[in-house]
Amino acid sequence: MSSTFVTLAEVLEARGGPLLEEEVWSLLLGTAESLVDVSYKHNNMCSIISPTSLLLSATGTLAFKNCGLSDEVSTFAAPEMLQGRASSTKPATERMLVYSLGMTLYWSVDFHLPQNQPVQLSDHLNSLLLSMCEDLSHRRVNLNSILEACESQLKASILLPPAKVIRQLVEEVFHESMDQTSLPDSNVPLSGRSLMIRERLHG
């Protein structure tokens, strides 16, 4: 894999803190656009997105690393997938992707926050992430609705285009790694922290 890609987990590790709300909106818009694009071209799309499988490139694009269902990413997998009830139809796969993207972004705004400190999100973004992480798949928001919400947010506030935000996040990692001579360890422990996300999300 090209070294111009970094994972979302590496970005947060280099930063040592969570994503900001504006970054989440831009990343959500960019990821939803990529998923719509990818889902029309490929039938065998991986149905889990996690902080270690969402790849950000130095050119401002996104890619998805194929990931099997392991203990590390199971926190980000949709409940129907964990219970072995997952259907392989496109709408079902989309709903699973929406769930894991919601969990991944929630993890990224919760990253390294003290346990007693609430996540700082607007009601709009919080309710959108919550509707992405509904346990019942038919109650989840779909990709087109996510795109509409992101685009209206883009118009209503001064958000940077996704490509620009992605480039900035990747630059942070390379800037950080210049001081340490090697890229951050990509094996960020996900499961410990992310097990609390479900409780905080519904709390």
Side-chain angles (χ1 to χ4, degrees):
M1 189 178 68
S2 164
S3 62
T4 53
F5 277 105
V6 297
T7 67
L8 179 59
E10 285 171 334
V11 167
L12 296 175
E13 195 64 15
R15 176 180 284 195
L19 287 183
L20 304 174
E21 167 139 357
E22 307 78 64
E23 293 168 332
V24 174
W25 275 115
S26 295
L27 209 51
L28 182 55
L29 175 58
T31 313
E33 287 173 339
S34 296
L35 287 175
V36 167
D37 199 37
V38 168
S39 67
Y40 286 121
K41 291 178 186 163
H42 305 287
N43 285 322
N44 58 344
M45 175 70 193
C46 174
S47 43
I48 310 173
I49 295 169
S50 75
T52 51
S53 73
L54 181 56
L55 304 172
L56 290 71
S57 89
T59 56
T61 57
L62 291 166
F64 307 97
K65 192 160 55 173
N66 252 347
C67 52
L69 185 57
S70 64
D71 289 344
E72 194 184 2
V73 300
S74 63
T75 320
F76 302 93
E80 63 270 23
M81 192 173 191
L82 296 173
Q83 293 156 10
R85 295 185 288 104
S87 159
S88 58
T89 64
K90 264 193 179 160
T93 302
E94 180 185 308
R95 285 194 285 266
M96 290 188 280
L97 285 166
V98 162
Y99 181 93
S100 63
L101 176 58
M103 290 296 284
T104 294
L105 291 175
Y106 212 91
W107 182 86
S108 70
V109 293
D110 193 53
F111 188 79
H112 279 199
L113 279 186
Q115 221 174 320
N116 57 353
Q117 186 181 325
V119 170
Q120 299 294 313
L121 286 181
S122 66
D123 289 345
H124 187 192
L125 183 54
N126 198 46
S127 63
L128 182 59
L129 291 179
L130 276 172
S131 63
M132 291 170 71
C133 298
E134 283 280 0
D135 282 344
L136 297 172
S137 63
H138 67 272
R139 292 180 61 182
R140 268 173 234 148
V141 65
N142 64 22
L143 282 175
N144 281 332
S145 302
I146 293 169
L147 281 174
E148 282 168 21
C150 290
E151 279 157 8
S152 66
Q153 182 68 19
L154 199 62
K155 289 191 190 97
S157 57
I158 310 162
L159 287 184
L160 291 171
K164 188 159 188 173
V165 171
I166 292 162
R167 282 198 300 271
Q168 287 174 350
L169 292 172
V170 173
E171 276 166 24
E172 279 185 36
V173 177
F174 287 114
H175 182 72
E176 178 73 15
S177 67
M178 295 296 277
D179 307 330
Q180 296 167 9
T181 68
S182 68
L183 272 177
D185 180 12
S186 60
N187 299 320
V188 182
L190 299 181
S191 40
R193 179 81 183 157
S194 55
L195 287 173
M196 291 183 275
I197 293 177
R198 283 170 201 265
E199 286 130 50
R200 290 185 70 154
L201 198 59
H202 298 291

